[in-house]
Amino acid sequence: MGGRITNSDKQLRPDPHYQDKVLAKFINCVMHDGKKAVAQRLVYSALDQIQAKLDKDKSDELPKTAIDLFRKAVDNVRPAVEVRSRRVGGANYQVPMAVSNRRRQSLAFRWILQATRAESGKPMSLRLARELHDAARGEGKAMETRTNTHRMAEANRAFAHFAW
């Protein structure tokens, strides 16, 4: 039975290293087959690589710490609108709709991980570090997906009156 709201937000504990609930949720999304320790090692390794890069590059536009860069990357990738298919009078319309905060975050996580997993040839922690760094700067595949989603919603703005 889909669409049930669970108690997962109250049960979610902050991650052990940075004490951040959003990062803990991201680690859970990275996790495969219940191997949380592997997912934590991967994400922390990526954040360590980002921190090393931030210490080397002293640019003003990026945050000073890796956890702040992670937060900025997720905020940049979060979509404001998306299109949903609606059947009206025998025709299907792509109707632009606002996205709830919970779904915005889950879409951002999903797009970052899809972009990371689509690339091959390098270790996962390097790919994740690069994608997060690119997303914080407003670049990368995850940002491209967000832009395409916004562009599609803008193109179908004429059908917004079907949103109910």
Side-chain angles (χ1 to χ4, degrees), residues 22 73-80 101 104-105 108 111 146 150:
V22 176
V74 171
D75 283 342
N76 283 353
V77 175
R78 282 185 176 140
N101 284 338
R104 289 175 73 185
Q105 180 174 307
W111 292 342
R146 176 190 182 268
H150 278 230

Side-chain angles (χ1 to χ4, degrees), residues 88-101:
V88 179
N92 285 326
Y93 296 104
Q94 294 290 317
V95 180
M97 298 183 128
V99 185
S100 70
N101 284 338

Side-chain angles (χ1 to χ4, degrees), residues 10-125:
K10 291 177 186 165
Q11 292 174 353
L12 183 69
R13 292 196 180 114
D15 76 290
H17 195 276
Y18 292 100
Q19 301 303 315
D20 187 15
K21 281 194 169 195
V22 176
L23 185 62
K25 186 76 171 170
F26 185 72
I27 288 171
N28 287 344
C29 291
V30 170
M31 180 172 53
H32 267 298
D33 295 331
K35 296 183 179 181
K36 191 164 192 166
V38 173
Q40 282 177 333
R41 195 173 16 189
L42 192 150
V43 171
Y44 291 148
S45 172
L47 290 175
D48 289 343
Q49 291 165 11
I50 289 171
Q51 188 61 53
K53 194 181 240 184
L54 288 174
D55 290 341
K56 199 167 63 169
D57 298 346
K58 299 291 183 189
S59 66
D60 294 332
E61 67 206 32
L62 292 177
K64 302 289 182 237
T65 62
I67 189 69
D68 290 336
L69 186 131
F70 168 77
R71 288 188 192 118
K72 183 174 181 178
V74 171
D75 283 342
N76 283 353
V77 175
R78 282 185 176 140
V81 290
E82 67 177 342
V83 291
R84 291 219 165 146
S85 195
R86 284 272 187 258
R87 187 168 176 87
V88 179
N92 285 326
Y93 296 104
Q94 294 290 317
V95 180
M97 298 183 128
V99 185
S100 70
N101 284 338
R102 191 175 182 146
R103 182 158 169 78
R104 289 175 73 185
Q105 180 174 307
S106 67
L107 283 173
F109 288 171
R110 188 178 311 155
W111 292 342
I112 289 170
L113 290 174
Q114 277 178 351
T116 304
R117 290 175 178 147
E119 199 178 326
S120 61
K122 289 201 165 44
M124 180 68 174
S125 61

